[in-house]
Amino acid sequence: MFSTPDVANFMQYRRFGKTQLSVSELGFGCARIGGVFHDSSRSELLKLLRGAADAGITFFDTADMYAQGDSERLVGEAFCRDRQRVVIATKFGYVLPKQKQLGSQLKPLLKPVVTRLGLSRRHIPSTLRGTVGRQDFSPEYIVRSIDASLRRLRTDYIDVYQLHSPSIEVLRRAEFVEPLERCREKGKIRYWGVACEYADDVLDCLPLAPLASVQVGFNVLEQNALDWAIPEAAARGIGIIDRQVYASGLLTRPVQSFCQHDLDVDPVVAENKRTQITSFASIAEHAGRSRAELALKFALAQPGLSVVLLGISRQSHLDSALEALHAPNLSAHEHMLVHALATRGKPTGGANSQ
């Protein structure tokens, strides 16, 4: 484990668009903390969150649907006594069915039982699992959602409040702007943004004048956000949150472990991805880097990004990320090779030429 002062001194900080926020270049993605089936105790997860802040991470991204609200509760418990130390971003829009809301209330009681009996997800009735329901971005639901998140987060304000994967129709109607602005004026939220499902959705976000941020998926395998979404949003002073740096594990797991379904339902696309991943692994090997390090350094090197999120749920994830921060930045040659992977569905050839 790293010495906290050394790591904190190494962390870089960036302006979050045109806002008054300064955020760590590395963000803590909280989607995988909390819930009945997490193999860490609550005290371990609280220690992990606080340890990340000690290491210089100031940006924590969660959502009301993660672990049916338990992710927000953990973040709130971790920082309620030192709220100004961190920037908390959360999301809204997904509605849990009534029976799953009951499951959320029962989770604190279920967790010790599940742990003691060694139960897995399949042993629990579907009514208590975390499957998401429909979406609701109506003005009435927005107000209720903000108040509920504030309670779970144990705070009186949310730094960045985001629509969670809204449809194009929702974005174009923009009925959410007025209630979000009212909540901002009341001090319940400082800024609001959109966590986009696809990079192309950014196009429909840009006309929203009060918009402070967009969240997009960008990684070695999915670089289309570089075509215009990231440059255009950055040019307009919009904070950009990058997610899925490791492509949901495709860039870090052993290549031979993937079956076609893991990669894509389309066999041609799946084979192209397998080729890209194999080439990426070869580039990392020749560069003397781990694949996680190479993927993270590539994301951090992109101009315009405000913060790069990593899904962290245990100490080893945090240690690996902090170790990567200490590694040398990518050379121009390394960056060229990795960038070329997105435009080629075949081996780049560059890895073997180093």
mmCIF file of all heavy atoms in Angstrom, residues 62-64 69 72-77 79-80 83 88-92 141-161 182-184 186-191:
data_model
loop_
_atom_site.group_PDB
_atom_site.id
_atom_site.type_symbol
_atom_site.label_atom_id
_atom_site.label_comp_id
_atom_site.label_asym_id
_atom_site.label_seq_id
_atom_site.Cartn_x
_atom_site.Cartn_y
_atom_site.Cartn_z
ATOM 1 N N THR A 62 -21.554 8.467 -7.813
ATOM 2 C CA THR A 62 -22.463 7.398 -7.432
ATOM 3 C C THR A 62 -23.800 7.604 -8.148
ATOM 4 O O THR A 62 -23.903 8.371 -9.102
ATOM 5 C CB THR A 62 -22.626 7.352 -5.887
ATOM 6 O OG1 THR A 62 -23.469 6.259 -5.532
ATOM 7 C CG2 THR A 62 -23.177 8.652 -5.339
ATOM 8 N N ALA A 63 -24.847 6.910 -7.714
ATOM 9 C CA ALA A 63 -26.191 7.053 -8.287
ATOM 10 C C ALA A 63 -27.193 6.493 -7.297
ATOM 11 O O ALA A 63 -26.866 5.605 -6.494
ATOM 12 C CB ALA A 63 -26.302 6.320 -9.629
ATOM 13 N N ASP A 64 -28.420 6.990 -7.386
ATOM 14 C CA ASP A 64 -29.432 6.515 -6.446
ATOM 15 C C ASP A 64 -29.795 5.052 -6.663
ATOM 16 O O ASP A 64 -30.298 4.380 -5.762
ATOM 17 C CB ASP A 64 -30.683 7.395 -6.493
ATOM 18 C CG ASP A 64 -31.328 7.482 -7.874
ATOM 19 O OD1 ASP A 64 -30.882 6.771 -8.802
ATOM 20 O OD2 ASP A 64 -32.289 8.279 -8.023
ATOM 21 N N GLY A 69 -29.462 2.258 -3.535
ATOM 22 C CA GLY A 69 -29.270 3.382 -2.632
ATOM 23 C C GLY A 69 -28.160 3.191 -1.616
ATOM 24 O O GLY A 69 -27.731 4.155 -0.966
ATOM 25 N N GLU A 72 -24.930 5.345 -2.197
ATOM 26 C CA GLU A 72 -25.045 6.717 -1.696
ATOM 27 C C GLU A 72 -24.908 6.753 -0.171
ATOM 28 O O GLU A 72 -24.267 7.652 0.381
ATOM 29 C CB GLU A 72 -26.386 7.321 -2.101
ATOM 30 C CG GLU A 72 -26.469 7.761 -3.550
ATOM 31 C CD GLU A 72 -27.752 8.508 -3.850
ATOM 32 O OE1 GLU A 72 -28.777 8.266 -3.176
ATOM 33 O OE2 GLU A 72 -27.738 9.360 -4.764
ATOM 34 N N ARG A 73 -25.511 5.791 0.497
ATOM 35 C CA ARG A 73 -25.436 5.773 1.970
ATOM 36 C C ARG A 73 -23.990 5.635 2.445
ATOM 37 O O ARG A 73 -23.582 6.267 3.419
ATOM 38 C CB ARG A 73 -26.280 4.636 2.527
ATOM 39 C CG ARG A 73 -27.786 4.803 2.318
ATOM 40 C CD ARG A 73 -28.580 3.727 3.038
ATOM 41 N NE ARG A 73 -29.964 3.760 2.620
ATOM 42 C CZ ARG A 73 -30.492 2.983 1.669
ATOM 43 N NH1 ARG A 73 -29.723 2.095 1.047
ATOM 44 N NH2 ARG A 73 -31.761 3.084 1.344
ATOM 45 N N LEU A 74 -23.221 4.792 1.769
ATOM 46 C CA LEU A 74 -21.824 4.609 2.146
ATOM 47 C C LEU A 74 -21.024 5.893 1.933
ATOM 48 O O LEU A 74 -20.226 6.294 2.788
ATOM 49 C CB LEU A 74 -21.209 3.461 1.346
ATOM 50 C CG LEU A 74 -21.555 2.058 1.831
ATOM 51 C CD1 LEU A 74 -21.278 1.026 0.740
ATOM 52 C CD2 LEU A 74 -20.765 1.716 3.084
ATOM 53 N N VAL A 75 -21.217 6.531 0.794
ATOM 54 C CA VAL A 75 -20.522 7.786 0.523
ATOM 55 C C VAL A 75 -20.911 8.827 1.565
ATOM 56 O O VAL A 75 -20.066 9.559 2.089
ATOM 57 C CB VAL A 75 -20.841 8.290 -0.903
ATOM 58 C CG1 VAL A 75 -20.267 9.692 -1.125
ATOM 59 C CG2 VAL A 75 -20.280 7.324 -1.950
ATOM 60 N N GLY A 76 -22.191 8.883 1.883
ATOM 61 C CA GLY A 76 -22.648 9.836 2.877
ATOM 62 C C GLY A 76 -22.052 9.586 4.247
ATOM 63 O O GLY A 76 -21.624 10.522 4.937
ATOM 64 N N GLU A 77 -22.016 8.315 4.649
ATOM 65 C CA GLU A 77 -21.451 7.985 5.954
ATOM 66 C C GLU A 77 -19.954 8.261 6.003
ATOM 67 O O GLU A 77 -19.426 8.687 7.027
ATOM 68 C CB GLU A 77 -21.729 6.516 6.279
ATOM 69 C CG GLU A 77 -21.309 6.104 7.682
ATOM 70 C CD GLU A 77 -21.736 4.691 8.037
ATOM 71 O OE1 GLU A 77 -22.523 4.085 7.277
ATOM 72 O OE2 GLU A 77 -21.273 4.183 9.078
ATOM 73 N N PHE A 79 -18.225 10.589 4.448
ATOM 74 C CA PHE A 79 -17.785 11.985 4.386
ATOM 75 C C PHE A 79 -18.718 12.987 5.070
ATOM 76 O O PHE A 79 -18.527 14.195 4.916
ATOM 77 C CB PHE A 79 -17.588 12.384 2.923
ATOM 78 C CG PHE A 79 -16.604 11.519 2.193
ATOM 79 C CD1 PHE A 79 -17.001 10.737 1.126
ATOM 80 C CD2 PHE A 79 -15.281 11.460 2.610
ATOM 81 C CE1 PHE A 79 -16.091 9.921 0.456
ATOM 82 C CE2 PHE A 79 -14.363 10.646 1.952
ATOM 83 C CZ PHE A 79 -14.769 9.873 0.875
ATOM 84 N N CYS A 80 -19.685 12.502 5.828
ATOM 85 C CA CYS A 80 -20.644 13.428 6.439
ATOM 86 C C CYS A 80 -19.983 14.383 7.422
ATOM 87 O O CYS A 80 -20.470 15.500 7.642
ATOM 88 C CB CYS A 80 -21.777 12.653 7.117
ATOM 89 S SG CYS A 80 -21.252 11.576 8.464
ATOM 90 N N ARG A 83 -17.551 17.078 4.835
ATOM 91 C CA ARG A 83 -18.238 17.158 3.548
ATOM 92 C C ARG A 83 -17.475 17.975 2.515
ATOM 93 O O ARG A 83 -17.422 17.610 1.328
ATOM 94 C CB ARG A 83 -19.638 17.740 3.765
ATOM 95 C CG ARG A 83 -20.432 18.002 2.488
ATOM 96 C CD ARG A 83 -20.734 16.708 1.749
ATOM 97 N NE ARG A 83 -21.478 16.965 0.532
ATOM 98 C CZ ARG A 83 -20.919 17.237 -0.642
ATOM 99 N NH1 ARG A 83 -19.594 17.290 -0.764
ATOM 100 N NH2 ARG A 83 -21.682 17.450 -1.701
ATOM 101 N N ILE A 88 -19.075 15.408 -4.603
ATOM 102 C CA ILE A 88 -19.970 14.257 -4.756
ATOM 103 C C ILE A 88 -20.861 14.473 -5.972
ATOM 104 O O ILE A 88 -21.575 15.479 -6.077
ATOM 105 C CB ILE A 88 -20.831 14.041 -3.503
ATOM 106 C CG1 ILE A 88 -19.940 13.680 -2.311
ATOM 107 C CG2 ILE A 88 -21.866 12.937 -3.745
ATOM 108 C CD1 ILE A 88 -20.697 13.512 -1.002
ATOM 109 N N ALA A 89 -20.787 13.528 -6.901
ATOM 110 C CA ALA A 89 -21.665 13.518 -8.065
ATOM 111 C C ALA A 89 -22.581 12.308 -7.949
ATOM 112 O O ALA A 89 -22.122 11.204 -7.633
ATOM 113 C CB ALA A 89 -20.843 13.433 -9.351
ATOM 114 N N THR A 90 -23.860 12.500 -8.170
ATOM 115 C CA THR A 90 -24.773 11.367 -8.172
ATOM 116 C C THR A 90 -25.736 11.508 -9.343
ATOM 117 O O THR A 90 -25.714 12.512 -10.066
ATOM 118 C CB THR A 90 -25.516 11.237 -6.821
ATOM 119 O OG1 THR A 90 -26.177 9.957 -6.769
ATOM 120 C CG2 THR A 90 -26.530 12.345 -6.610
ATOM 121 N N LYS A 91 -26.561 10.500 -9.532
ATOM 122 C CA LYS A 91 -27.426 10.455 -10.713
ATOM 123 C C LYS A 91 -28.843 10.056 -10.319
ATOM 124 O O LYS A 91 -29.058 9.460 -9.264
ATOM 125 C CB LYS A 91 -26.893 9.443 -11.740
ATOM 126 C CG LYS A 91 -25.420 9.544 -12.030
ATOM 127 C CD LYS A 91 -24.997 8.494 -13.061
ATOM 128 C CE LYS A 91 -23.495 8.277 -13.018
ATOM 129 N NZ LYS A 91 -23.054 7.562 -11.804
ATOM 130 N N PHE A 92 -29.783 10.351 -11.203
ATOM 131 C CA PHE A 92 -31.187 10.002 -10.969
ATOM 132 C C PHE A 92 -31.845 9.644 -12.290
ATOM 133 O O PHE A 92 -31.313 9.934 -13.365
ATOM 134 C CB PHE A 92 -31.926 11.182 -10.326
ATOM 135 C CG PHE A 92 -32.225 12.292 -11.315
ATOM 136 C CD1 PHE A 92 -33.453 12.376 -11.938
ATOM 137 C CD2 PHE A 92 -31.252 13.238 -11.646
ATOM 138 C CE1 PHE A 92 -33.726 13.378 -12.865
ATOM 139 C CE2 PHE A 92 -31.516 14.245 -12.560
ATOM 140 C CZ PHE A 92 -32.756 14.317 -13.168
ATOM 141 N N TYR A 141 -40.774 14.030 -10.014
ATOM 142 C CA TYR A 141 -39.867 12.958 -9.603
ATOM 143 C C TYR A 141 -38.469 13.510 -9.303
ATOM 144 O O TYR A 141 -37.786 13.041 -8.398
ATOM 145 C CB TYR A 141 -39.784 11.889 -10.691
ATOM 146 C CG TYR A 141 -38.973 10.689 -10.265
ATOM 147 C CD1 TYR A 141 -39.499 9.763 -9.380
ATOM 148 C CD2 TYR A 141 -37.675 10.498 -10.733
ATOM 149 C CE1 TYR A 141 -38.756 8.669 -8.955
ATOM 150 C CE2 TYR A 141 -36.926 9.415 -10.321
ATOM 151 C CZ TYR A 141 -37.475 8.501 -9.441
ATOM 152 O OH TYR A 141 -36.728 7.433 -9.016
ATOM 153 N N ILE A 142 -38.051 14.502 -10.055
ATOM 154 C CA ILE A 142 -36.729 15.111 -9.830
ATOM 155 C C ILE A 142 -36.637 15.666 -8.412
ATOM 156 O O ILE A 142 -35.658 15.432 -7.699
ATOM 157 C CB ILE A 142 -36.461 16.220 -10.865
ATOM 158 C CG1 ILE A 142 -36.220 15.602 -12.246
ATOM 159 C CG2 ILE A 142 -35.257 17.072 -10.456
ATOM 160 C CD1 ILE A 142 -36.115 16.612 -13.370
ATOM 161 N N VAL A 143 -37.651 16.409 -7.989
ATOM 162 C CA VAL A 143 -37.633 17.003 -6.652
ATOM 163 C C VAL A 143 -37.579 15.923 -5.576
ATOM 164 O O VAL A 143 -36.811 16.025 -4.614
ATOM 165 C CB VAL A 143 -38.869 17.905 -6.462
ATOM 166 C CG1 VAL A 143 -38.946 18.406 -5.016
ATOM 167 C CG2 VAL A 143 -38.827 19.092 -7.429
ATOM 168 N N ARG A 144 -38.383 14.873 -5.740
ATOM 169 C CA ARG A 144 -38.380 13.772 -4.760
ATOM 170 C C ARG A 144 -37.028 13.065 -4.750
ATOM 171 O O ARG A 144 -36.512 12.702 -3.685
ATOM 172 C CB ARG A 144 -39.486 12.766 -5.075
ATOM 173 C CG ARG A 144 -40.895 13.300 -4.907
ATOM 174 C CD ARG A 144 -41.900 12.167 -4.757
ATOM 175 N NE ARG A 144 -41.834 11.214 -5.853
ATOM 176 C CZ ARG A 144 -42.528 11.323 -6.983
ATOM 177 N NH1 ARG A 144 -43.335 12.366 -7.169
ATOM 178 N NH2 ARG A 144 -42.433 10.408 -7.936
ATOM 179 N N SER A 145 -36.455 12.870 -5.922
ATOM 180 C CA SER A 145 -35.184 12.146 -6.023
ATOM 181 C C SER A 145 -34.047 12.916 -5.362
ATOM 182 O O SER A 145 -33.200 12.326 -4.681
ATOM 183 C CB SER A 145 -34.840 11.873 -7.490
ATOM 184 O OG SER A 145 -35.785 11.008 -8.077
ATOM 185 N N ILE A 146 -34.020 14.225 -5.577
ATOM 186 C CA ILE A 146 -32.978 15.034 -4.954
ATOM 187 C C ILE A 146 -33.066 14.947 -3.444
ATOM 188 O O ILE A 146 -32.061 14.726 -2.752
ATOM 189 C CB ILE A 146 -33.080 16.502 -5.413
ATOM 190 C CG1 ILE A 146 -32.639 16.634 -6.875
ATOM 191 C CG2 ILE A 146 -32.216 17.410 -4.528
ATOM 192 C CD1 ILE A 146 -32.764 18.027 -7.438
ATOM 193 N N ASP A 147 -34.266 15.090 -2.903
ATOM 194 C CA ASP A 147 -34.428 15.035 -1.454
ATOM 195 C C ASP A 147 -34.032 13.669 -0.897
ATOM 196 O O ASP A 147 -33.402 13.582 0.167
ATOM 197 C CB ASP A 147 -35.873 15.358 -1.076
ATOM 198 C CG ASP A 147 -36.215 16.829 -1.284
ATOM 199 O OD1 ASP A 147 -35.273 17.645 -1.353
ATOM 200 O OD2 ASP A 147 -37.417 17.163 -1.377
ATOM 201 N N ALA A 148 -34.370 12.608 -1.627
ATOM 202 C CA ALA A 148 -34.014 11.262 -1.176
ATOM 203 C C ALA A 148 -32.507 11.056 -1.200
ATOM 204 O O ALA A 148 -31.929 10.472 -0.270
ATOM 205 C CB ALA A 148 -34.710 10.213 -2.038
ATOM 206 N N SER A 149 -31.841 11.537 -2.252
ATOM 207 C CA SER A 149 -30.381 11.404 -2.334
ATOM 208 C C SER A 149 -29.703 12.233 -1.244
ATOM 209 O O SER A 149 -28.709 11.795 -0.657
ATOM 210 C CB SER A 149 -29.878 11.835 -3.715
ATOM 211 O OG SER A 149 -30.173 10.859 -4.695
ATOM 212 N N LEU A 150 -30.222 13.416 -0.974
ATOM 213 C CA LEU A 150 -29.648 14.245 0.087
ATOM 214 C C LEU A 150 -29.701 13.526 1.436
ATOM 215 O O LEU A 150 -28.741 13.576 2.218
ATOM 216 C CB LEU A 150 -30.386 15.578 0.178
ATOM 217 C CG LEU A 150 -30.131 16.585 -0.948
ATOM 218 C CD1 LEU A 150 -31.078 17.775 -0.838
ATOM 219 C CD2 LEU A 150 -28.682 17.054 -0.949
ATOM 220 N N ARG A 151 -30.808 12.833 1.696
ATOM 221 C CA ARG A 151 -30.928 12.084 2.953
ATOM 222 C C ARG A 151 -29.912 10.955 3.012
ATOM 223 O O ARG A 151 -29.238 10.755 4.023
ATOM 224 C CB ARG A 151 -32.342 11.543 3.116
ATOM 225 C CG ARG A 151 -33.395 12.604 3.437
ATOM 226 C CD ARG A 151 -34.691 11.968 3.887
ATOM 227 N NE ARG A 151 -35.302 11.165 2.827
ATOM 228 C CZ ARG A 151 -36.164 11.637 1.929
ATOM 229 N NH1 ARG A 151 -36.507 12.931 1.958
ATOM 230 N NH2 ARG A 151 -36.686 10.858 1.007
ATOM 231 N N ARG A 152 -29.810 10.197 1.915
ATOM 232 C CA ARG A 152 -28.878 9.068 1.912
ATOM 233 C C ARG A 152 -27.430 9.549 2.000
ATOM 234 O O ARG A 152 -26.585 8.902 2.626
ATOM 235 C CB ARG A 152 -29.087 8.208 0.662
ATOM 236 C CG ARG A 152 -30.349 7.361 0.691
ATOM 237 C CD ARG A 152 -30.401 6.394 -0.475
ATOM 238 N NE ARG A 152 -30.570 7.081 -1.743
ATOM 239 C CZ ARG A 152 -31.748 7.313 -2.328
ATOM 240 N NH1 ARG A 152 -32.878 6.937 -1.729
ATOM 241 N NH2 ARG A 152 -31.813 7.937 -3.491
ATOM 242 N N LEU A 153 -27.137 10.665 1.364
ATOM 243 C CA LEU A 153 -25.769 11.192 1.346
ATOM 244 C C LEU A 153 -25.436 12.005 2.604
ATOM 245 O O LEU A 153 -24.295 12.454 2.752
ATOM 246 C CB LEU A 153 -25.569 12.070 0.107
ATOM 247 C CG LEU A 153 -25.520 11.323 -1.231
ATOM 248 C CD1 LEU A 153 -25.670 12.309 -2.389
ATOM 249 C CD2 LEU A 153 -24.225 10.532 -1.373
ATOM 250 N N ARG A 154 -26.410 12.217 3.455
ATOM 251 C CA ARG A 154 -26.205 12.951 4.712
ATOM 252 C C ARG A 154 -25.604 14.335 4.467
ATOM 253 O O ARG A 154 -24.647 14.760 5.110
ATOM 254 C CB ARG A 154 -25.307 12.173 5.665
ATOM 255 C CG ARG A 154 -25.833 10.819 6.088
ATOM 256 C CD ARG A 154 -25.006 10.280 7.225
ATOM 257 N NE ARG A 154 -25.346 8.901 7.542
ATOM 258 C CZ ARG A 154 -24.834 8.235 8.582
ATOM 259 N NH1 ARG A 154 -23.947 8.823 9.385
ATOM 260 N NH2 ARG A 154 -25.169 6.987 8.824
ATOM 261 N N THR A 155 -26.161 15.026 3.496
ATOM 262 C CA THR A 155 -25.646 16.341 3.139
ATOM 263 C C THR A 155 -26.802 17.257 2.794
ATOM 264 O O THR A 155 -27.940 16.790 2.573
ATOM 265 C CB THR A 155 -24.669 16.233 1.946
ATOM 266 O OG1 THR A 155 -24.107 17.511 1.666
ATOM 267 C CG2 THR A 155 -25.380 15.713 0.702
ATOM 268 N N ASP A 156 -26.537 18.546 2.736
ATOM 269 C CA ASP A 156 -27.588 19.484 2.339
ATOM 270 C C ASP A 156 -27.364 20.015 0.927
ATOM 271 O O ASP A 156 -28.087 20.898 0.471
ATOM 272 C CB ASP A 156 -27.700 20.635 3.340
ATOM 273 C CG ASP A 156 -26.382 21.368 3.551
ATOM 274 O OD1 ASP A 156 -25.397 21.033 2.870
ATOM 275 O OD2 ASP A 156 -26.351 22.284 4.405
ATOM 276 N N TYR A 157 -26.343 19.495 0.229
ATOM 277 C CA TYR A 157 -26.162 19.872 -1.172
ATOM 278 C C TYR A 157 -25.425 18.767 -1.926
ATOM 279 O O TYR A 157 -24.662 17.998 -1.350
ATOM 280 C CB TYR A 157 -25.378 21.184 -1.296
ATOM 281 C CG TYR A 157 -23.920 21.080 -0.892
ATOM 282 C CD1 TYR A 157 -22.929 20.846 -1.841
ATOM 283 C CD2 TYR A 157 -23.525 21.208 0.442
ATOM 284 C CE1 TYR A 157 -21.590 20.745 -1.482
ATOM 285 C CE2 TYR A 157 -22.204 21.115 0.816
ATOM 286 C CZ TYR A 157 -21.232 20.876 -0.147
ATOM 287 O OH TYR A 157 -19.906 20.776 0.217
ATOM 288 N N ILE A 158 -25.689 18.685 -3.216
ATOM 289 C CA ILE A 158 -25.015 17.749 -4.121
ATOM 290 C C ILE A 158 -24.203 18.592 -5.101
ATOM 291 O O ILE A 158 -24.715 19.551 -5.685
ATOM 292 C CB ILE A 158 -26.033 16.876 -4.881
ATOM 293 C CG1 ILE A 158 -26.792 15.968 -3.907
ATOM 294 C CG2 ILE A 158 -25.347 16.044 -5.961
ATOM 295 C CD1 ILE A 158 -28.018 15.311 -4.504
ATOM 296 N N ASP A 159 -22.947 18.247 -5.273
ATOM 297 C CA ASP A 159 -22.085 19.051 -6.145
ATOM 298 C C ASP A 159 -22.484 18.947 -7.607
ATOM 299 O O ASP A 159 -22.598 19.964 -8.302
ATOM 300 C CB ASP A 159 -20.625 18.621 -5.974
ATOM 301 C CG ASP A 159 -20.097 18.938 -4.588
ATOM 302 O OD1 ASP A 159 -19.955 20.132 -4.267
ATOM 303 O OD2 ASP A 159 -19.844 17.992 -3.819
ATOM 304 N N VAL A 160 -22.651 17.724 -8.109
ATOM 305 C CA VAL A 160 -23.004 17.513 -9.519
ATOM 306 C C VAL A 160 -24.136 16.486 -9.584
ATOM 307 O O VAL A 160 -23.954 15.321 -9.217
ATOM 308 C CB VAL A 160 -21.797 17.003 -10.345
ATOM 309 C CG1 VAL A 160 -22.182 16.910 -11.820
ATOM 310 C CG2 VAL A 160 -20.583 17.908 -10.164
ATOM 311 N N TYR A 161 -25.302 16.922 -10.023
ATOM 312 C CA TYR A 161 -26.480 16.063 -10.105
ATOM 313 C C TYR A 161 -26.743 15.745 -11.572
ATOM 314 O O TYR A 161 -26.912 16.659 -12.395
ATOM 315 C CB TYR A 161 -27.676 16.766 -9.485
ATOM 316 C CG TYR A 161 -28.814 15.852 -9.113
ATOM 317 C CD1 TYR A 161 -28.607 14.745 -8.294
ATOM 318 C CD2 TYR A 161 -30.108 16.096 -9.563
ATOM 319 C CE1 TYR A 161 -29.655 13.914 -7.938
ATOM 320 C CE2 TYR A 161 -31.161 15.280 -9.217
ATOM 321 C CZ TYR A 161 -30.932 14.189 -8.402
ATOM 322 O OH TYR A 161 -31.980 13.353 -8.056
ATOM 323 N N ARG A 182 -34.461 25.247 -10.394
ATOM 324 C CA ARG A 182 -35.092 25.654 -9.137
ATOM 325 C C ARG A 182 -34.347 25.060 -7.945
ATOM 326 O O ARG A 182 -34.105 25.736 -6.938
ATOM 327 C CB ARG A 182 -36.553 25.217 -9.104
ATOM 328 C CG ARG A 182 -37.510 26.210 -9.750
ATOM 329 C CD ARG A 182 -38.955 25.907 -9.432
ATOM 330 N NE ARG A 182 -39.450 24.737 -10.133
ATOM 331 C CZ ARG A 182 -39.772 23.589 -9.550
ATOM 332 N NH1 ARG A 182 -39.628 23.450 -8.242
ATOM 333 N NH2 ARG A 182 -40.228 22.581 -10.264
ATOM 334 N N CYS A 183 -33.977 23.790 -8.064
ATOM 335 C CA CYS A 183 -33.237 23.140 -6.982
ATOM 336 C C CYS A 183 -31.844 23.734 -6.828
ATOM 337 O O CYS A 183 -31.318 23.826 -5.712
ATOM 338 C CB CYS A 183 -33.153 21.637 -7.246
ATOM 339 S SG CYS A 183 -34.737 20.767 -7.047
ATOM 340 N N ARG A 184 -31.265 24.161 -7.935
ATOM 341 C CA ARG A 184 -29.954 24.806 -7.860
ATOM 342 C C ARG A 184 -30.069 26.154 -7.159
ATOM 343 O O ARG A 184 -29.223 26.511 -6.318
ATOM 344 C CB ARG A 184 -29.373 24.974 -9.266
ATOM 345 C CG ARG A 184 -27.936 25.484 -9.273
ATOM 346 C CD ARG A 184 -27.378 25.530 -10.684
ATOM 347 N NE ARG A 184 -28.087 26.482 -11.509
ATOM 348 C CZ ARG A 184 -27.852 27.796 -11.522
ATOM 349 N NH1 ARG A 184 -26.932 28.313 -10.721
ATOM 350 N NH2 ARG A 184 -28.536 28.591 -12.322
ATOM 351 N N LYS A 186 -32.143 26.940 -4.934
ATOM 352 C CA LYS A 186 -32.393 26.695 -3.505
ATOM 353 C C LYS A 186 -31.148 26.152 -2.792
ATOM 354 O O LYS A 186 -31.172 25.997 -1.572
ATOM 355 C CB LYS A 186 -33.537 25.697 -3.348
ATOM 356 C CG LYS A 186 -34.899 26.233 -3.765
ATOM 357 C CD LYS A 186 -35.977 25.178 -3.599
ATOM 358 C CE LYS A 186 -37.343 25.715 -4.001
ATOM 359 N NZ LYS A 186 -38.418 24.684 -3.865
ATOM 360 N N GLY A 187 -30.099 25.855 -3.563
ATOM 361 C CA GLY A 187 -28.864 25.371 -2.958
ATOM 362 C C GLY A 187 -28.804 23.873 -2.737
ATOM 363 O O GLY A 187 -27.849 23.374 -2.137
ATOM 364 N N LYS A 188 -29.788 23.147 -3.243
ATOM 365 C CA LYS A 188 -29.784 21.692 -3.065
ATOM 366 C C LYS A 188 -28.748 21.026 -3.969
ATOM 367 O O LYS A 188 -28.207 19.970 -3.621
ATOM 368 C CB LYS A 188 -31.169 21.114 -3.341
ATOM 369 C CG LYS A 188 -32.214 21.513 -2.313
ATOM 370 C CD LYS A 188 -33.544 20.810 -2.577
ATOM 371 C CE LYS A 188 -34.560 21.145 -1.499
ATOM 372 N NZ LYS A 188 -35.839 20.425 -1.698
ATOM 373 N N ILE A 189 -28.527 21.610 -5.132
ATOM 374 C CA ILE A 189 -27.472 21.134 -6.029
ATOM 375 C C ILE A 189 -26.645 22.337 -6.462
ATOM 376 O O ILE A 189 -27.157 23.460 -6.552
ATOM 377 C CB ILE A 189 -28.033 20.397 -7.269
ATOM 378 C CG1 ILE A 189 -28.935 21.314 -8.102
ATOM 379 C CG2 ILE A 189 -28.788 19.142 -6.858
ATOM 380 C CD1 ILE A 189 -29.431 20.675 -9.394
ATOM 381 N N ARG A 190 -25.360 22.102 -6.706
ATOM 382 C CA ARG A 190 -24.496 23.193 -7.165
ATOM 383 C C ARG A 190 -24.496 23.273 -8.689
ATOM 384 O O ARG A 190 -24.527 24.359 -9.257
ATOM 385 C CB ARG A 190 -23.079 22.993 -6.644
ATOM 386 C CG ARG A 190 -22.970 23.034 -5.129
ATOM 387 C CD ARG A 190 -21.537 22.859 -4.670
ATOM 388 N NE ARG A 190 -20.703 24.008 -5.067
ATOM 389 C CZ ARG A 190 -19.381 24.066 -4.877
ATOM 390 N NH1 ARG A 190 -18.745 23.025 -4.314
ATOM 391 N NH2 ARG A 190 -18.699 25.132 -5.244
ATOM 392 N N TYR A 191 -24.432 22.103 -9.333
ATOM 393 C CA TYR A 191 -24.407 22.035 -10.784
ATOM 394 C C TYR A 191 -25.159 20.785 -11.224
ATOM 395 O O TYR A 191 -25.356 19.851 -10.441
ATOM 396 C CB TYR A 191 -22.964 21.981 -11.317
ATOM 397 C CG TYR A 191 -22.097 23.110 -10.831
ATOM 398 C CD1 TYR A 191 -21.204 22.921 -9.771
ATOM 399 C CD2 TYR A 191 -22.172 24.372 -11.427
ATOM 400 C CE1 TYR A 191 -20.410 23.965 -9.318
ATOM 401 C CE2 TYR A 191 -21.374 25.418 -10.976
ATOM 402 C CZ TYR A 191 -20.500 25.210 -9.914
ATOM 403 O OH TYR A 191 -19.718 26.241 -9.465
#
